[in-house]
Amino acid sequence: MHTGRLTIEEIRRAIAFDQPKLNATQDGSDFIVEGQYVLVENTGSVSPAGPLTAFDIRIVTGNRYPVQEPEVFETSGRIPRSPDRHINGDGDCCVTVWEEWLTISGDTTFAAFLNGPLREFFLAQYWFEKTGKWPFGERSHGEKGLVEAFADVLGTQNKKQNVIYYLRILSQDWPKGHWLCPCGSGKLLRYCHKADLMALHSRLSPRMAKRMLKRLKSQQR
Amino acid sequence: MTIHKNKNAKTHDDVLEEIAGAIDIPPSQYEEAVSRYETLGNWLDRDQSTIAQYDPQIAPQGSFLLGTVTRPLGDDEEYDVDLICLLKVAKKDFTPKGLKETIGHEVKLYAKANNMSKRPEEGRRCWTLHYADDAQFHMDVLPCLPDAQAHQLLLERRGHAALAHDQSLSGQAIAITDWTLPQYEQLTEDWPLSNPIGYAAWFRGRMVAQLTEGKKRFAKSQMITASVDDIPDYKVKTPLQRAIQLLKRHRDSTFGDNEHKPISIIITTLSAKAYNEEPTISEALQTILSTMDQFIEYHGEEAWVLNPVNPEENFADKWAEESKKRENFFKWLEQARHDFALYLRTSPFNEMPEVLKEGLGRRTVDRTLDTILAAGAAMITAPAIAKATANDAELERAEAAITNIRESGSQSKPWAK
């Protein structure tokens, strides 16, 4: 994961050319990025016809990005406020399951966020407006969606108990060989998926595993 | 000279190419300038010339040599053609003043023999030759003598061995004169150094792949069978050269005759350092505008725009004395970034935002757009059909983007808390 504190300069550099209609300001340790997010089909070259569309947005983030998840609001009301459109009443967009992106993305800079999940979210919204379909699929609402996302990251069955057990093992600095393997075979880890698990352990830090556990817990209502 | 078979623009790059072409020196004027400086060279080398024995050579330097000339903003202003006048002599043979005046004498005779109405003007380092109004240019002739050996020795001593041993980069360094220096009238080893030919070689090296590509396309379009090496550089323009022309033009429009505007050599050097052989003007502009400031080095507080062929020279040395120059550079960069991005990222190719029109000179832009967009505008279809087609086209574009993302494998799914 990209570490070091996010600065207003990094944000400005990220939007300077790619998003000239966004404007970044600082308020204490908060950063607010506001204006029109232009949706282009390619991140590199330009289309003769210009951008596909633009969404009015406000991003609120802080210098603890990317540990801290940025909040994204759609401000014009263009997207109907409904969980089925992945947006809350106040325009708060559920862009993606943050921990999933942090874990699978090699680049978690602010620029990568703008060109990755944020672009995919608004491209998906645009596609839904036109066709009523989600081009990249969608997560279930609430806890169920979290479990799905985490199960995808772990490459395991989409079952809550299973995901929790897996995350508990990964949240330890040194997973023990005499624990039961999370694959459900009933065998000891050392005789089962030890190599796979250790490979995952090196990609997904104990800290991240704890964070994911906590997230699951806070989602239980 | 670029040949346009089809004047009908279809992309942002077509539009930018046409505008850059419109602010470039026209081929006829380019050839006129070359013919005039060749005439001057012949004059200096004629039998009766007092300097013929020193084998005088006239050669272009600066934007004229780099292929980054931009038309002056006002109609009454002139192109500025920079030349060096090299005598094969040594520092012990002349004082700087002696060299300047020896050449000046012949330059004045030339002006007289050609009935030029204005006398050559003496500047700090150059002689300026003014041609009749219809020529629309003047020539700055820089008196100099070869100084490569001393320069290479110095480079070597200061730890720049690679540069010292590269003949193309350091083998044509010259010593120039400057009448503000105390040793101007003395026999001295201490002359200011310059290296315009080495700089041009470096600059060419930054775009050589696109230069070769351009020449191949040129040969094809002209049905020439000659090899790429036989086509002179000035026949084609690379995306780097076009981008620099547009940026210099934007600088001129932004600052007018403000004496503290960013200087061309800084824009040119940082652009060439940032450029990565992008094949189009729009991509070149994006790379240059996004990253050019990262090539400014900081020695403590002091900003350095390093001369790539003379690491002792800071093109931004005046920034320390005059903070406005430094401020203006960064102000301009931010403005240029914004103006070009607004066009390239948020506009269709045939709608140039007002700020960029302003930045590139409204008259030039309007005239150019009129020519290249006229053909397209004549073909507008009935509104209802146009709308349906546009909608399909948008869907197709969105679908292509979706496929791209799916293929990259890193798509994220929306969720609901």
Side-chain angles (χ1 to χ4, degrees):
Chain A
M1 202 195 323
H2 170 77
T3 49
R5 297 268 151 138
L6 181 66
T7 60
I8 190 81
E9 287 75 25
E10 187 184 335
I11 295 176
R12 288 195 174 132
R13 190 167 282 285
I15 61 175
F17 200 92
D18 278 354
Q19 293 293 343
K21 289 188 170 176
L22 288 180
N23 186 34
T25 51
Q26 182 163 13
D27 179 9
S29 64
D30 279 349
F31 305 120
I32 295 157
V33 184
E34 209 164 4
Q36 274 194 340
Y37 177 82
V38 289
L39 185 64
V40 291
E41 64 218 87
N42 295 312
T43 45
S45 57
V46 289
S47 159
L52 284 166
T53 185
F55 285 88
D56 294 323
I57 65 163
R58 183 168 74 247
I59 304 174
V60 182
T61 185
N63 61 14
R64 290 183 57 249
Y65 175 97
V67 172
Q68 179 194 9
E69 178 178 353
E71 293 178 288
V72 179
F73 300 89
E74 191 271 313
T75 55
S76 75
R78 168 172 171 175
I79 305 174
R81 307 308 197 225
S82 147
D84 291 340
R85 293 295 298 268
H86 305 285
I87 189 163
N88 292 325
D90 57 355
D92 183 5
C93 302
C94 302
V95 173
T96 190
V97 174
W98 191 244
E99 290 79 5
E100 181 187 12
W101 184 64
L102 289 185
T103 312
I104 60 173
S105 173
D107 180 0
T108 58
T109 56
F110 193 73
F113 168 63
L114 292 182
N115 286 324
L118 196 71
R119 180 163 163 264
E120 286 152 23
F121 180 81
F122 286 111
L123 181 60
Q125 291 289 350
Y126 177 74
W127 189 251
F128 190 89
E129 281 176 2
K130 300 264 176 196
T131 68
K133 294 189 186 106
W134 296 106
F136 310 121
E138 57 180 328
R139 294 286 178 212
S140 303
H141 297 172
E143 182 191 277
K144 220 174 143 203
L146 270 189
V147 173
E148 281 166 23
F150 293 172
D152 277 357
V153 169
L154 300 170
T156 184
Q157 283 172 293
N158 177 19
K159 279 191 197 150
K160 186 178 161 193
Q161 275 320 307
N162 199 265
V163 166
I164 289 180
Y165 180 66
Y166 217 134
L167 288 174
R168 282 182 181 146
I169 291 181
L170 287 170
S171 69
Q172 306 305 311
D173 287 340
W174 289 104
K176 301 285 196 296
H178 63 266
W179 291 344
L180 283 177
C181 185
C183 77
S185 64
K187 289 192 220 167
L188 298 187
L189 190 52
R190 72 163 61 95
Y191 302 122
C192 203
H193 288 89
K194 188 180 176 197
D196 294 343
L197 187 109
M198 289 317 284
L200 189 59
H201 190 260
S202 66
R203 276 195 295 121
L204 202 158
S205 68
R207 206 168 153 174
M208 180 60 76
K210 279 179 199 150
R211 177 177 169 160
M212 288 158 84
L213 275 173
K214 217 165 132 190
R215 184 88 194 248
L216 265 177
K217 197 159 187 193
S218 72
Q219 198 67 38
Q220 291 174 353
R221 282 175 196 156
Chain B
M1 186 172 65
T2 322
I3 300 293
H4 303 286
K5 278 191 178 150
N6 186 356
K7 281 273 188 182
N8 190 1
K10 294 188 182 69
T11 64
H12 293 80
D13 281 299
D14 292 346
V15 170
L16 291 175
E17 171 73 37
E18 283 301 322
I19 292 173
I23 57 177
D24 201 346
I25 185 168
S28 60
Q29 251 165 347
Y30 179 89
E31 279 152 24
E32 171 81 18
V34 171
S35 123
R36 299 239 179 157
Y37 75 65
E38 282 173 355
T39 316
L40 173 63
N42 291 338
W43 173 268
L44 300 180
D45 209 16
R46 77 195 188 288
D47 289 344
Q48 302 85 344
S49 164
T50 51
I51 56 175
Q53 54 181 313
Y54 307 125
D55 190 15
Q57 283 173 20
I58 292 279
Q61 62 148 332
S63 63
F64 202 76
L65 179 60
L66 302 176
T68 56
V69 174
T70 52
R71 189 192 290 268
L73 265 185
D75 279 343
D76 49 344
E77 288 172 73
E78 298 178 331
Y79 291 99
D80 162 19
V81 178
D82 291 321
L83 306 169
I84 61 169
C85 176
L86 183 81
L87 299 193
K88 295 259 173 63
V89 295
K91 288 175 185 169
K92 61 175 170 35
D93 302 327
F94 285 95
T95 65
K97 184 180 187 214
L99 183 76
K100 176 103 170 275
E101 291 184 345
T102 302
I103 291 174
H105 172 70
E106 283 297 332
V107 169
K108 283 177 200 161
L109 287 179
Y110 171 79
K112 208 169 169 187
N114 285 277
N115 295 317
M116 293 169 72
S117 53
K118 266 172 125 180
R119 285 162 53 85
E121 217 176 299
E122 184 173 8
R124 188 173 141 196
R125 300 182 177 117
C126 296
W127 290 101
T128 302
L129 272 170
H130 295 280
Y131 287 87
D133 294 342
D134 60 335
Q136 282 192 331
F137 58 79
H138 61 261
M139 287 183 178
D140 283 335
V141 182
L142 179 75
C144 60
L145 52 85
D147 198 24
Q149 274 181 337
H151 179 51
Q152 288 173 326
L153 266 176
L154 189 75
L155 284 174
E156 180 119 43
R157 215 180 305 139
R158 301 259 167 97
H160 310 294
L163 196 54
H165 295 155
D166 189 324
Q167 264 316 100
S168 70
L169 296 184
S170 60
Q172 295 186 74
I174 53 174
I176 62 174
T177 72
D178 180 342
W179 80 10
T180 64
L181 292 178
Q183 69 272 31
Y184 183 62
E185 295 187 38
Q186 294 160 12
L187 270 181
T188 172
E189 282 298 308
D190 185 13
W191 292 48
L193 178 107
S194 187
N195 188 4
I197 312 290
Y199 181 90
W202 169 80
F203 183 81
R204 191 179 187 278
R206 297 295 309 158
M207 56 176 199
V208 69
Q210 287 303 319
L211 189 65
T212 309
E213 281 306 308
K215 286 182 182 180
K216 280 186 200 157
R217 279 195 302 271
F218 178 78
K220 216 171 158 190
S221 75
Q222 301 287 288
M223 319 264 222
I224 307 175
T225 47
S227 95
V228 159
D229 298 333
D230 297 333
I231 300 171
D233 287 1
Y234 78 86
K235 291 280 186 190
V236 299
K237 284 285 155 77
T238 66
L240 172 63
Q241 290 166 311
R242 286 312 198 198
I244 290 171
Q245 287 177 309
L246 293 167
L247 293 177
K248 281 166 64 182
R249 176 63 162 213
H250 186 275
R251 180 265 327 258
D252 290 341
S253 304
T254 309
F255 291 98
D257 47 16
N258 183 335
E259 59 171 323
H260 299 311
K261 67 182 176 187
I263 56 177
S264 295
I265 190 71
I266 289 182
I267 295 177
T268 305
T269 304
L270 293 177
S271 298
K273 285 185 177 180
Y275 182 64
N276 237 331
E277 297 273 15
E278 282 79 5
T280 63
I281 303 175
S282 58
E283 287 169 283
L285 279 170
Q286 170 157 9
T287 301
I288 290 168
L289 287 169
S290 305
T291 65
M292 73 192 294
D293 52 334
Q294 293 170 26
F295 293 89
I296 300 172
E297 294 174 31
Y298 290 90
H299 300 181
E301 280 293 287
E302 199 184 344
W304 272 68
V305 176
L306 220 59
N307 178 347
V309 292
N310 181 15
E312 310 283 308
E313 185 178 5
N314 177 12
F315 289 138
D317 57 349
K318 302 281 190 307
W319 289 8
E321 307 153 23
E322 181 50 78
S323 62
K324 273 207 190 93
K325 290 186 193 290
R326 179 180 177 146
E327 281 163 32
N328 282 346
F329 173 80
F330 287 102
K331 239 164 64 189
W332 165 76
L333 178 58
E334 200 175 318
Q335 189 66 45
R337 222 177 238 163
H338 175 264
D339 294 353
F340 281 100
L342 217 50
Y343 177 52
L344 291 174
R345 302 293 290 183
T346 78
S347 313
F349 81 97
N350 54 358
E351 287 174 25
M352 186 171 283
E354 291 301 310
V355 281
L356 188 59
K357 275 192 186 177
E358 215 52 68
L360 294 175
R362 178 172 293 279
R363 266 195 326 140
T364 313
V365 172
D366 281 342
R367 211 180 302 149
T368 311
L369 291 183
D370 277 354
T371 332
I372 59 176
L373 298 178
M379 305 191 310
I380 287 175
T381 30
I385 302 169
K387 205 173 172 198
T389 325
N391 203 22
D392 287 351
E394 272 176 27
L395 270 183
E396 247 170 61
R397 289 170 56 200
E399 194 167 12
I402 288 164
T403 310
N404 251 335
I405 292 171
R406 280 194 189 131
E407 279 167 4
S408 78
S410 65
Q411 59 218 274
S412 52
K413 298 183 169 78
W415 177 54
K417 281 168 203 160

